[in-house]
């Protein structure tokens, strides 16, 4: 081969290798600089950094090799980023698709929140190109919204199921009555059953209405100074007929010298539910105790029954909507499964808490604790404001 040609080829090859080496070195230096700068220091299209800073959403920006070059504190808090690494494979799949076709992608993902995989976060993620080099991931926390939607859907499904039972029973009993017009004993028996089912249906509808009212209650702006002694006395009086039917004595002990802030009607309803529940599950010829006292800045009301008590696993769930410890017995006693849920909602809306102590064979005690008002608020009733709700013990 001509030495001149060989020299030209060798020169071209050397030039190529040299150019490749320079490009590789520059790329390496650029990547090293990004890693040294860390998230938040990379260069972006003009104005992009300013827009990201006011979005109000978690975000992260990755480069061509999916290394994180900028991320918001929320992205770290959500567990989406660790160092310069995108934690979740699902997010990397989104960046790969965006990088491949340049189309904006949006997905809702349920991801582990921490490295141990305990707890999850539900986020709405939007991935798009940012300039020519980067991909932006915007994440909006939807965990609480999704949880609320699930609760609402479960509630609607449970309500539908609960309404079917008494409505179906009334329909069947009406047909039986129609078929036995001349049988006085059958008519009397079916009429009694219809009355029982209609009473149960009315109680269920009333509790559903009460739950709906609770969600629209504005304790902060519509509340007023409340004497808890009067509230308890009113609740006991409303439960008197149920107690007399089972020859149960409702005994009130103690009193409160301090006032609370809230809605007296809602509080009466909550305590009536607790007392009715105690009466419902107590044997005949027993007592239900109601204790009132002030302690550590809280007004405390306890309702104690002499029933069968609750198992530990039931105590954890007893405040859930439609949860029944004994479904068959609850139907016999007329329980709707909503009473304790209403109590919990009312008490929490007043900045308080409700707890249960129970032991099998020894009955149960439900205790409501509400923050008391300070003396200035009690004296200035016209301008009363809600107490600090962070003062719970």
């Amino acid at each position: 081969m001509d030495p001149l040609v060989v020299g030209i080829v060798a020169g071209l090859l050397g030039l190529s290798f040299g150019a490749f080496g320079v490009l590789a070195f520059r790329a390496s230096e650029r990547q090293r600089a990004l890693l040294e700068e860390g998230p938040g220091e990379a260069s972006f299209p003009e104005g992009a950094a300013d827009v990201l800073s006011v979005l109000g959403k978690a975000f992260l920006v990755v480069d061509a090799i999916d290394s994180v070059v900028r991320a918001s504190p929320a992205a770290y808090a959500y567990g989406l980023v660790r160092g310069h690494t995108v934690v979740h494979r699902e997010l990397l799949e989104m960046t790969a698709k965006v990088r491949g076709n340049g189309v904006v992608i949006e997905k809702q993902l349920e991801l582990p929140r921490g490295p141990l995989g305990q707890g999850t976060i539900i986020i709405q993620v939007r991935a798009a190109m940012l300039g020519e080099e980067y991909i932006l991931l915007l994440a909006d926390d939807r965990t609480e919204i999704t949880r609320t939607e699930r609760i609402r859907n479960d509630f609607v499904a449970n309500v539908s199921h609960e309404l079917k039972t008494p409505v179906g029973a009334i329909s069947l009993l009406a047909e039986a009555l129609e078929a036995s017009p001349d049988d006085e004993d059958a008519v009397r028996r079916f009429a009694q059953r219809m009355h029982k089912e209609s009473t149960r249906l009315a109680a269920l509808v009333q509790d559903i209405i009460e739950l709906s009212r609770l969600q629209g209650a504005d304790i902060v702006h519509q509340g007023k100074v409340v004497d808890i002694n009067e509230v308890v006395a009113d609740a006991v009086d409303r439960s008197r007929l149920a107690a007399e039917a089972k020859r149960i004595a409702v005994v009130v002990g103690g009193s409160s010298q301090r006032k609370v802030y809230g809605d007296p009607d809602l509080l009466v309803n909550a305590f009536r539910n607790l007392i009715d529940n105690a009466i419902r599950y107590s044997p005949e010829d027993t007592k239900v105790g109601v204790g009132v006292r002030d302690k550590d800045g809280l007004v405390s009301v306890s309702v104690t029954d002499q029933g069968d008590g609750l198992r530990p696993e039931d105590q954890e769930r007893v405040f859930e909507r439609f949860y029944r410890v004994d479904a068959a017995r609850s139907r016999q006693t007329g329980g709707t499964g909503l009473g304790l849920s209403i109590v919990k909602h009312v008490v929490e809306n007043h900045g308080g808490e409700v707890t249960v102590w129970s032991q099998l064979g020894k009955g149960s005690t439900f205790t409501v604790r509400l923050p008391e008002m300070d003396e200035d608020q009690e004296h200035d009733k016209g301008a009363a404001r809600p107490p600090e709700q962070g003062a719970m013990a």
Side-chain angles (χ1 to χ4, degrees):
M1 182 180 292
D2 191 330
L4 180 60
V5 174
V6 173
I8 292 173
V9 171
L12 290 173
L13 288 173
L15 183 62
S16 299
F17 282 119
F20 178 78
V22 171
L23 291 173
F25 174 77
R26 288 181 177 176
S28 175
E29 285 295 299
R30 176 176 171 277
Q31 181 61 28
R32 182 180 64 80
L34 288 175
L35 292 175
E36 289 177 353
E37 289 169 349
E41 300 300 329
S43 59
F44 290 98
E46 184 177 356
D50 294 333
V51 172
L52 291 176
S53 66
V54 297
L55 277 178
K57 294 184 180 181
F59 69 84
L60 57 119
V61 180
V62 299
D63 60 14
I65 58 173
D66 283 330
S67 179
V68 178
V69 295
R70 185 182 289 259
S72 66
Y76 285 98
Y78 292 168
L80 307 180
V81 181
R82 192 175 302 124
H84 297 275
T85 304
V86 178
V87 173
H88 302 289
R89 173 182 51 81
E90 294 86 346
L91 298 178
L92 294 175
E93 291 174 354
M94 292 182 68
T95 62
K97 288 182 180 179
V98 171
R99 191 176 291 112
N101 55 31
V103 176
V104 176
I105 298 176
E106 188 163 357
K107 285 185 178 180
Q108 181 164 294
L109 303 172
E110 184 169 356
L111 305 171
R113 185 143 203 167
L116 300 179
Q118 296 182 351
T120 59
I121 182 171
I122 299 173
I123 54 174
Q124 190 77 20
V125 184
R126 186 178 179 89
M129 294 297 301
L130 182 63
E132 298 180 355
E133 299 180 65
Y134 305 107
I135 294 177
L136 169 66
L137 293 169
L138 289 174
D140 188 20
D141 185 2
R142 308 278 297 178
T143 307
E144 187 63 24
I145 293 174
T146 304
R147 186 187 71 85
T148 303
E149 289 177 351
R150 287 175 180 172
I151 291 174
R152 182 183 61 193
N153 292 337
D154 290 344
F155 179 68
V156 171
N158 285 329
V159 166
S160 301
H161 174 74
E162 293 293 332
L163 288 174
K164 279 182 181 178
T165 304
V167 170
I170 291 172
S171 177
L172 290 173
L173 289 167
E175 292 179 7
L177 276 173
E178 188 178 13
S180 309
D182 300 325
D183 189 340
E184 293 184 4
D185 291 337
V187 168
R188 188 177 298 108
R189 186 170 66 254
F190 293 145
Q192 289 174 347
R193 289 279 305 277
M194 286 183 70
H195 177 70
K196 184 176 181 180
E197 292 295 337
S198 63
T199 301
R200 180 184 171 199
L201 180 60
L204 179 58
V205 171
Q206 182 59 42
D207 280 350
I208 293 171
I209 292 172
E210 192 63 37
L211 270 178
S212 176
R213 181 190 170 202
L214 279 174
Q215 294 181 358
D218 186 352
I219 304 301
V220 172
H221 297 100
Q222 298 177 4
K224 59 184 180 181
V225 179
V226 177
D227 184 337
I228 209 70
N229 303 299
E230 295 178 0
V231 165
V232 169
D234 196 355
V236 170
D237 188 60
R238 296 188 189 190
S239 302
R240 195 171 304 282
L241 287 177
E244 291 175 351
K246 296 182 69 174
R247 298 183 300 280
I248 291 176
V250 180
V251 181
V252 180
S255 63
S256 172
Q257 304 304 315
R258 305 303 299 270
K259 303 294 192 296
V260 300
Y261 184 91
D263 185 322
D265 293 334
L266 290 179
L267 290 172
V268 168
N269 191 33
F271 290 126
R272 181 187 60 78
N273 270 300
L274 285 180
I275 297 169
D276 281 349
N277 193 68
I279 294 170
R280 184 177 296 117
Y281 291 102
S282 291
E284 294 182 352
D285 300 306
T286 57
K287 288 195 301 184
V288 167
V290 182
V292 184
R293 67 172 181 166
D294 302 329
K295 185 179 179 181
D296 300 329
L298 301 172
V299 177
S300 174
V301 179
S302 298
V303 178
T304 302
D305 64 49
Q306 297 181 26
D308 296 332
L310 300 170
R311 297 172 299 178
E313 57 267 31
D314 291 324
Q315 294 178 41
E316 294 176 1
R317 301 189 58 193
V318 74
F319 294 104
E320 295 178 13
R321 293 173 178 176
F322 295 111
Y323 183 77
R324 295 184 177 92
V325 176
D326 185 341
R329 183 179 178 185
S330 184
R331 282 193 294 269
Q332 292 174 358
T333 59
T336 65
L338 288 173
L340 292 178
S341 177
I342 290 174
V343 172
K344 183 178 180 181
H345 276 74
V346 170
V347 173
E348 288 183 348
N349 283 354
H350 285 75
E353 66 172 2
V354 56
T355 58
V356 58
W357 174 93
S358 187
Q359 190 171 350
L360 289 176
K362 295 188 177 181
S364 305
T365 297
F366 289 84
T367 301
V368 172
R369 298 179 182 87
L370 299 170
E372 64 183 27
M373 297 180 67
D374 58 41
E375 293 182 0
D376 291 339
Q377 288 175 309
E378 290 184 31
H379 292 154
D380 187 11
K381 294 182 180 181
R385 299 183 305 277
E388 293 295 331
Q389 296 186 5
M392 294 301 305

